[in-house]
mmCIF file of all heavy atoms in Angstrom:
data_model
loop_
_atom_site.group_PDB
_atom_site.id
_atom_site.type_symbol
_atom_site.label_atom_id
_atom_site.label_comp_id
_atom_site.label_asym_id
_atom_site.label_seq_id
_atom_site.Cartn_x
_atom_site.Cartn_y
_atom_site.Cartn_z
ATOM 1 N N LEU B 330 -31.880 -32.808 -124.634
ATOM 2 C CA LEU B 330 -32.832 -33.911 -124.443
ATOM 3 C C LEU B 330 -32.329 -34.956 -123.456
ATOM 4 O O LEU B 330 -33.112 -35.711 -122.894
ATOM 5 C CB LEU B 330 -33.160 -34.564 -125.797
ATOM 6 C CG LEU B 330 -34.086 -33.760 -126.706
ATOM 7 C CD1 LEU B 330 -34.320 -34.495 -128.016
ATOM 8 C CD2 LEU B 330 -35.426 -33.484 -126.021
ATOM 9 N N CYS B 331 -31.003 -35.024 -123.253
ATOM 10 C CA CYS B 331 -30.449 -36.005 -122.296
ATOM 11 C C CYS B 331 -29.894 -35.326 -121.051
ATOM 12 O O CYS B 331 -29.251 -36.001 -120.231
ATOM 13 C CB CYS B 331 -29.385 -36.862 -122.964
ATOM 14 S SG CYS B 331 -30.000 -37.817 -124.355
ATOM 15 N N ASP B 332 -30.089 -34.018 -120.939
ATOM 16 C CA ASP B 332 -29.644 -33.286 -119.752
ATOM 17 C C ASP B 332 -28.147 -33.473 -119.495
ATOM 18 O O ASP B 332 -27.739 -33.776 -118.376
ATOM 19 C CB ASP B 332 -30.479 -33.748 -118.534
ATOM 20 C CG ASP B 332 -30.289 -32.830 -117.335
ATOM 21 O OD1 ASP B 332 -29.971 -31.644 -117.534
ATOM 22 O OD2 ASP B 332 -30.437 -33.315 -116.193
ATOM 23 N N ARG B 333 -27.347 -33.311 -120.553
ATOM 24 C CA ARG B 333 -25.898 -33.428 -120.411
ATOM 25 C C ARG B 333 -25.255 -32.054 -120.589
ATOM 26 O O ARG B 333 -25.762 -31.229 -121.355
ATOM 27 C CB ARG B 333 -25.317 -34.420 -121.438
ATOM 28 C CG ARG B 333 -25.825 -35.844 -121.335
ATOM 29 C CD ARG B 333 -25.684 -36.453 -119.963
ATOM 30 N NE ARG B 333 -24.311 -36.473 -119.481
ATOM 31 C CZ ARG B 333 -23.963 -36.793 -118.234
ATOM 32 N NH1 ARG B 333 -24.895 -37.109 -117.341
ATOM 33 N NH2 ARG B 333 -22.699 -36.789 -117.872
ATOM 34 N N PRO B 334 -24.129 -31.806 -119.908
ATOM 35 C CA PRO B 334 -23.526 -30.469 -119.933
ATOM 36 C C PRO B 334 -22.914 -30.121 -121.291
ATOM 37 O O PRO B 334 -22.613 -31.012 -122.087
ATOM 38 C CB PRO B 334 -22.427 -30.572 -118.860
ATOM 39 C CG PRO B 334 -22.100 -32.018 -118.776
ATOM 40 C CD PRO B 334 -23.368 -32.753 -119.078
ATOM 41 N N ALA B 335 -22.707 -28.830 -121.509
ATOM 42 C CA ALA B 335 -22.182 -28.341 -122.797
ATOM 43 C C ALA B 335 -20.753 -28.809 -123.054
ATOM 44 O O ALA B 335 -20.295 -28.791 -124.203
ATOM 45 C CB ALA B 335 -22.251 -26.814 -122.832
ATOM 46 N N THR B 336 -20.027 -29.260 -122.014
ATOM 47 C CA THR B 336 -18.659 -29.776 -122.204
ATOM 48 C C THR B 336 -18.667 -31.162 -122.855
ATOM 49 O O THR B 336 -17.612 -31.676 -123.202
ATOM 50 C CB THR B 336 -17.939 -29.889 -120.838
ATOM 51 O OG1 THR B 336 -18.815 -30.570 -119.934
ATOM 52 C CG2 THR B 336 -17.577 -28.532 -120.279
ATOM 53 N N GLU B 337 -19.844 -31.759 -122.994
ATOM 54 C CA GLU B 337 -19.936 -33.085 -123.617
ATOM 55 C C GLU B 337 -20.437 -32.959 -125.046
ATOM 56 O O GLU B 337 -21.377 -32.214 -125.315
ATOM 57 C CB GLU B 337 -20.877 -33.992 -122.807
ATOM 58 C CG GLU B 337 -20.306 -34.322 -121.447
ATOM 59 C CD GLU B 337 -21.113 -35.353 -120.673
ATOM 60 O OE1 GLU B 337 -22.138 -35.851 -121.194
ATOM 61 O OE2 GLU B 337 -20.701 -35.672 -119.546
ATOM 62 N N LYS B 338 -19.818 -33.725 -125.940
ATOM 63 C CA LYS B 338 -20.196 -33.690 -127.350
ATOM 64 C C LYS B 338 -20.921 -34.991 -127.696
ATOM 65 O O LYS B 338 -20.345 -36.068 -127.540
ATOM 66 C CB LYS B 338 -18.918 -33.564 -128.184
ATOM 67 C CG LYS B 338 -19.120 -33.555 -129.664
ATOM 68 C CD LYS B 338 -17.786 -33.275 -130.356
ATOM 69 C CE LYS B 338 -17.885 -33.497 -131.849
ATOM 70 N NZ LYS B 338 -17.689 -34.893 -132.241
ATOM 71 N N PRO B 339 -22.178 -34.890 -128.151
ATOM 72 C CA PRO B 339 -22.860 -36.126 -128.571
ATOM 73 C C PRO B 339 -22.153 -36.706 -129.796
ATOM 74 O O PRO B 339 -21.927 -35.990 -130.768
ATOM 75 C CB PRO B 339 -24.275 -35.670 -128.923
ATOM 76 C CG PRO B 339 -24.303 -34.201 -128.809
ATOM 77 C CD PRO B 339 -22.977 -33.690 -128.373
ATOM 78 N N GLU B 340 -21.770 -37.961 -129.726
ATOM 79 C CA GLU B 340 -21.037 -38.583 -130.838
ATOM 80 C C GLU B 340 -21.963 -39.352 -131.767
ATOM 81 O O GLU B 340 -21.782 -39.345 -132.966
ATOM 82 C CB GLU B 340 -19.970 -39.546 -130.309
ATOM 83 C CG GLU B 340 -18.828 -38.867 -129.582
ATOM 84 C CD GLU B 340 -17.863 -38.167 -130.533
ATOM 85 O OE1 GLU B 340 -17.917 -38.426 -131.744
ATOM 86 O OE2 GLU B 340 -17.061 -37.354 -130.044
ATOM 87 N N MET B 341 -22.902 -40.066 -131.176
ATOM 88 C CA MET B 341 -23.855 -40.806 -131.996
ATOM 89 C C MET B 341 -24.980 -41.357 -131.129
ATOM 90 O O MET B 341 -24.873 -41.382 -129.894
ATOM 91 C CB MET B 341 -23.180 -41.958 -132.740
ATOM 92 C CG MET B 341 -22.745 -43.109 -131.875
ATOM 93 S SD MET B 341 -21.956 -44.392 -132.846
ATOM 94 C CE MET B 341 -20.341 -43.681 -133.107
ATOM 95 N N ILE B 342 -26.039 -41.774 -131.811
ATOM 96 C CA ILE B 342 -27.100 -42.535 -131.152
ATOM 97 C C ILE B 342 -26.902 -43.978 -131.596
ATOM 98 O O ILE B 342 -26.815 -44.249 -132.791
ATOM 99 C CB ILE B 342 -28.501 -42.064 -131.594
ATOM 100 C CG1 ILE B 342 -28.681 -40.562 -131.366
ATOM 101 C CG2 ILE B 342 -29.588 -42.865 -130.894
ATOM 102 C CD1 ILE B 342 -29.976 -40.016 -131.976
ATOM 103 N N LEU B 343 -26.812 -44.884 -130.635
ATOM 104 C CA LEU B 343 -26.754 -46.298 -130.974
ATOM 105 C C LEU B 343 -28.168 -46.848 -130.760
ATOM 106 O O LEU B 343 -28.685 -46.816 -129.646
ATOM 107 C CB LEU B 343 -25.734 -46.998 -130.072
ATOM 108 C CG LEU B 343 -25.124 -48.288 -130.597
ATOM 109 C CD1 LEU B 343 -24.364 -48.070 -131.905
ATOM 110 C CD2 LEU B 343 -24.180 -48.876 -129.554
ATOM 111 N N VAL B 344 -28.780 -47.299 -131.853
ATOM 112 C CA VAL B 344 -30.113 -47.893 -131.789
ATOM 113 C C VAL B 344 -29.900 -49.374 -131.493
ATOM 114 O O VAL B 344 -29.067 -50.016 -132.139
ATOM 115 C CB VAL B 344 -30.847 -47.693 -133.134
ATOM 116 C CG1 VAL B 344 -32.243 -48.291 -133.092
ATOM 117 C CG2 VAL B 344 -30.878 -46.215 -133.519
ATOM 118 N N VAL B 345 -30.624 -49.906 -130.508
ATOM 119 C CA VAL B 345 -30.365 -51.283 -130.050
ATOM 120 C C VAL B 345 -31.664 -52.082 -129.960
ATOM 121 O O VAL B 345 -32.655 -51.604 -129.393
ATOM 122 C CB VAL B 345 -29.693 -51.275 -128.655
ATOM 123 C CG1 VAL B 345 -29.355 -52.704 -128.217
ATOM 124 C CG2 VAL B 345 -28.434 -50.410 -128.641
ATOM 125 N N GLY B 346 -31.647 -53.289 -130.488
ATOM 126 C CA GLY B 346 -32.822 -54.152 -130.367
ATOM 127 C C GLY B 346 -32.699 -55.381 -131.249
ATOM 128 O O GLY B 346 -31.595 -55.793 -131.605
ATOM 129 N N HIS B 347 -33.865 -55.933 -131.594
ATOM 130 C CA HIS B 347 -33.913 -57.100 -132.485
ATOM 131 C C HIS B 347 -34.422 -56.644 -133.852
ATOM 132 O O HIS B 347 -35.291 -55.768 -133.916
ATOM 133 C CB HIS B 347 -34.871 -58.156 -131.917
ATOM 134 C CG HIS B 347 -34.410 -58.706 -130.594
ATOM 135 N ND1 HIS B 347 -33.432 -59.663 -130.494
ATOM 136 C CD2 HIS B 347 -34.786 -58.408 -129.326
ATOM 137 C CE1 HIS B 347 -33.224 -59.950 -129.216
ATOM 138 N NE2 HIS B 347 -34.030 -59.198 -128.486
ATOM 139 N N PRO B 348 -33.938 -57.255 -134.928
ATOM 140 C CA PRO B 348 -34.415 -56.864 -136.264
ATOM 141 C C PRO B 348 -35.904 -57.163 -136.436
ATOM 142 O O PRO B 348 -36.406 -58.147 -135.884
ATOM 143 C CB PRO B 348 -33.600 -57.743 -137.213
ATOM 144 C CG PRO B 348 -32.478 -58.311 -136.420
ATOM 145 C CD PRO B 348 -32.929 -58.320 -134.983
ATOM 146 N N ALA B 349 -36.593 -56.319 -137.201
ATOM 147 C CA ALA B 349 -37.983 -56.604 -137.578
ATOM 148 C C ALA B 349 -37.991 -57.849 -138.459
ATOM 149 O O ALA B 349 -36.978 -58.190 -139.069
ATOM 150 C CB ALA B 349 -38.560 -55.416 -138.342
ATOM 151 N N GLU B 350 -39.157 -58.534 -138.511
ATOM 152 C CA GLU B 350 -39.288 -59.743 -139.355
ATOM 153 C C GLU B 350 -38.820 -59.470 -140.778
ATOM 154 O O GLU B 350 -38.173 -60.309 -141.406
ATOM 155 C CB GLU B 350 -40.757 -60.202 -139.395
ATOM 156 C CG GLU B 350 -41.233 -60.954 -138.149
ATOM 157 C CD GLU B 350 -40.473 -62.260 -137.900
ATOM 158 O OE1 GLU B 350 -40.030 -62.887 -138.884
ATOM 159 O OE2 GLU B 350 -40.314 -62.632 -136.710
ATOM 160 N N ASP B 351 -39.210 -58.299 -141.317
ATOM 161 C CA ASP B 351 -38.911 -57.989 -142.722
ATOM 162 C C ASP B 351 -37.683 -57.092 -142.878
ATOM 163 O O ASP B 351 -37.516 -56.441 -143.907
ATOM 164 C CB ASP B 351 -40.130 -57.350 -143.390
ATOM 165 C CG ASP B 351 -40.538 -56.052 -142.705
ATOM 166 O OD1 ASP B 351 -40.053 -55.781 -141.567
ATOM 167 O OD2 ASP B 351 -41.323 -55.285 -143.297
ATOM 168 N N ALA B 352 -36.808 -57.066 -141.867
ATOM 169 C CA ALA B 352 -35.595 -56.245 -141.977
ATOM 170 C C ALA B 352 -34.672 -56.803 -143.056
ATOM 171 O O ALA B 352 -34.612 -58.019 -143.253
ATOM 172 C CB ALA B 352 -34.873 -56.198 -140.633
ATOM 173 N N THR B 353 -33.992 -55.920 -143.745
ATOM 174 C CA THR B 353 -33.017 -56.331 -144.762
ATOM 175 C C THR B 353 -31.715 -55.574 -144.508
ATOM 176 O O THR B 353 -31.693 -54.658 -143.688
ATOM 177 C CB THR B 353 -33.503 -55.968 -146.187
ATOM 178 O OG1 THR B 353 -33.700 -54.548 -146.244
ATOM 179 C CG2 THR B 353 -34.805 -56.682 -146.536
ATOM 180 N N VAL B 354 -30.660 -55.986 -145.195
ATOM 181 C CA VAL B 354 -29.423 -55.190 -145.165
ATOM 182 C C VAL B 354 -29.092 -54.803 -146.598
ATOM 183 O O VAL B 354 -29.389 -55.558 -147.531
ATOM 184 C CB VAL B 354 -28.220 -55.951 -144.544
ATOM 185 C CG1 VAL B 354 -28.438 -56.235 -143.076
ATOM 186 C CG2 VAL B 354 -27.902 -57.230 -145.299
ATOM 187 N N PRO B 355 -28.486 -53.628 -146.793
ATOM 188 C CA PRO B 355 -28.075 -53.273 -148.155
ATOM 189 C C PRO B 355 -26.959 -54.218 -148.614
ATOM 190 O O PRO B 355 -26.035 -54.501 -147.840
ATOM 191 C CB PRO B 355 -27.547 -51.836 -148.021
ATOM 192 C CG PRO B 355 -27.472 -51.528 -146.576
ATOM 193 C CD PRO B 355 -28.126 -52.621 -145.795
ATOM 194 N N ALA B 356 -27.057 -54.717 -149.854
ATOM 195 C CA ALA B 356 -26.036 -55.635 -150.377
ATOM 196 C C ALA B 356 -24.651 -54.998 -150.256
ATOM 197 O O ALA B 356 -23.670 -55.672 -149.932
ATOM 198 C CB ALA B 356 -26.347 -55.975 -151.838
ATOM 199 N N HIS B 357 -24.585 -53.685 -150.456
ATOM 200 C CA HIS B 357 -23.307 -52.962 -150.393
ATOM 201 C C HIS B 357 -22.610 -53.162 -149.046
ATOM 202 O O HIS B 357 -21.381 -53.224 -148.983
ATOM 203 C CB HIS B 357 -23.559 -51.470 -150.638
ATOM 204 C CG HIS B 357 -22.336 -50.616 -150.512
ATOM 205 N ND1 HIS B 357 -21.326 -50.638 -151.446
ATOM 206 C CD2 HIS B 357 -21.948 -49.724 -149.565
ATOM 207 C CE1 HIS B 357 -20.382 -49.796 -151.077
ATOM 208 N NE2 HIS B 357 -20.728 -49.225 -149.944
ATOM 209 N N ALA B 358 -23.424 -53.289 -147.984
ATOM 210 C CA ALA B 358 -22.845 -53.389 -146.640
ATOM 211 C C ALA B 358 -22.110 -54.706 -146.431
ATOM 212 O O ALA B 358 -21.302 -54.828 -145.511
ATOM 213 C CB ALA B 358 -23.948 -53.219 -145.593
ATOM 214 N N LYS B 359 -22.404 -55.699 -147.254
ATOM 215 C CA LYS B 359 -21.752 -57.011 -147.079
ATOM 216 C C LYS B 359 -20.448 -57.106 -147.859
ATOM 217 O O LYS B 359 -19.741 -58.097 -147.790
ATOM 218 C CB LYS B 359 -22.713 -58.151 -147.459
ATOM 219 C CG LYS B 359 -23.907 -58.273 -146.543
ATOM 220 C CD LYS B 359 -23.654 -58.812 -145.129
ATOM 221 C CE LYS B 359 -22.770 -58.158 -144.186
ATOM 222 N NZ LYS B 359 -22.480 -58.517 -142.882
ATOM 223 N N TRP B 360 -20.126 -56.053 -148.614
ATOM 224 C CA TRP B 360 -18.817 -56.000 -149.272
ATOM 225 C C TRP B 360 -17.804 -55.474 -148.265
ATOM 226 O O TRP B 360 -17.985 -54.408 -147.675
ATOM 227 C CB TRP B 360 -18.876 -55.078 -150.500
ATOM 228 C CG TRP B 360 -17.499 -54.704 -150.977
ATOM 229 C CD1 TRP B 360 -16.672 -55.480 -151.738
ATOM 230 C CD2 TRP B 360 -16.772 -53.498 -150.685
ATOM 231 N NE1 TRP B 360 -15.474 -54.830 -151.933
ATOM 232 C CE2 TRP B 360 -15.509 -53.603 -151.304
ATOM 233 C CE3 TRP B 360 -17.070 -52.344 -149.969
ATOM 234 C CZ2 TRP B 360 -14.541 -52.617 -151.229
ATOM 235 C CZ3 TRP B 360 -16.103 -51.351 -149.878
ATOM 236 C CH2 TRP B 360 -14.856 -51.489 -150.507
ATOM 237 N N LYS B 361 -16.759 -56.265 -148.011
ATOM 238 C CA LYS B 361 -15.709 -55.816 -147.098
ATOM 239 C C LYS B 361 -14.377 -55.867 -147.834
ATOM 240 O O LYS B 361 -14.140 -56.784 -148.629
ATOM 241 C CB LYS B 361 -15.646 -56.702 -145.833
ATOM 242 C CG LYS B 361 -16.921 -56.667 -144.983
ATOM 243 C CD LYS B 361 -17.172 -55.335 -144.311
ATOM 244 C CE LYS B 361 -18.529 -55.330 -143.604
ATOM 245 N NZ LYS B 361 -18.924 -53.998 -143.121
ATOM 246 N N LYS B 362 -13.527 -54.910 -147.571
ATOM 247 C CA LYS B 362 -12.211 -54.883 -148.218
ATOM 248 C C LYS B 362 -11.439 -56.154 -147.873
ATOM 249 O O LYS B 362 -11.451 -56.576 -146.709
ATOM 250 C CB LYS B 362 -11.415 -53.676 -147.738
ATOM 251 C CG LYS B 362 -11.937 -52.346 -148.233
ATOM 252 C CD LYS B 362 -11.019 -51.235 -147.743
ATOM 253 C CE LYS B 362 -11.468 -49.884 -148.233
ATOM 254 N NZ LYS B 362 -10.597 -48.800 -147.698
ATOM 255 N N PRO B 363 -10.746 -56.743 -148.860
ATOM 256 C CA PRO B 363 -9.954 -57.943 -148.562
ATOM 257 C C PRO B 363 -8.742 -57.602 -147.694
ATOM 258 O O PRO B 363 -8.301 -56.452 -147.640
ATOM 259 C CB PRO B 363 -9.525 -58.442 -149.940
ATOM 260 C CG PRO B 363 -9.603 -57.246 -150.829
ATOM 261 C CD PRO B 363 -10.657 -56.343 -150.273
ATOM 262 N N LEU B 364 -8.223 -58.636 -147.039
ATOM 263 C CA LEU B 364 -7.106 -58.449 -146.098
ATOM 264 C C LEU B 364 -5.912 -57.740 -146.738
ATOM 265 O O LEU B 364 -5.321 -56.845 -146.146
ATOM 266 C CB LEU B 364 -6.675 -59.811 -145.534
ATOM 267 C CG LEU B 364 -5.578 -59.776 -144.471
ATOM 268 C CD1 LEU B 364 -6.022 -58.978 -143.241
ATOM 269 C CD2 LEU B 364 -5.161 -61.185 -144.060
ATOM 270 N N ASP B 365 -5.590 -58.131 -147.996
ATOM 271 C CA ASP B 365 -4.379 -57.541 -148.598
ATOM 272 C C ASP B 365 -4.559 -56.059 -148.915
ATOM 273 O O ASP B 365 -3.613 -55.361 -149.221
ATOM 274 C CB ASP B 365 -3.914 -58.340 -149.831
ATOM 275 C CG ASP B 365 -4.893 -58.259 -150.985
ATOM 276 O OD1 ASP B 365 -5.959 -57.615 -150.846
ATOM 277 O OD2 ASP B 365 -4.613 -58.860 -152.049
ATOM 278 N N GLU B 366 -5.796 -55.581 -148.821
ATOM 279 C CA GLU B 366 -6.028 -54.148 -149.048
ATOM 280 C C GLU B 366 -5.986 -53.368 -147.719
ATOM 281 O O GLU B 366 -5.596 -52.205 -147.691
ATOM 282 C CB GLU B 366 -7.395 -53.962 -149.729
ATOM 283 C CG GLU B 366 -7.615 -52.567 -150.251
ATOM 284 C CD GLU B 366 -8.963 -52.412 -150.957
ATOM 285 O OE1 GLU B 366 -9.485 -53.399 -151.516
ATOM 286 O OE2 GLU B 366 -9.485 -51.283 -150.937
#
Side-chain angles (χ1 to χ4, degrees):
L330 286 179
C331 299
D332 192 27
R333 299 306 302 171
T336 49
E337 293 187 1
K338 178 174 170 275
E340 292 285 346
M341 71 181 78
I342 305 172
L343 204 61
V344 180
V345 183
H347 296 281
E350 282 298 329
D351 60 346
T353 59
V354 294
H357 176 71
K359 294 288 60 178
W360 165 80
K361 297 292 174 189
K362 290 183 179 178
L364 184 61
D365 67 358
E366 191 178 332

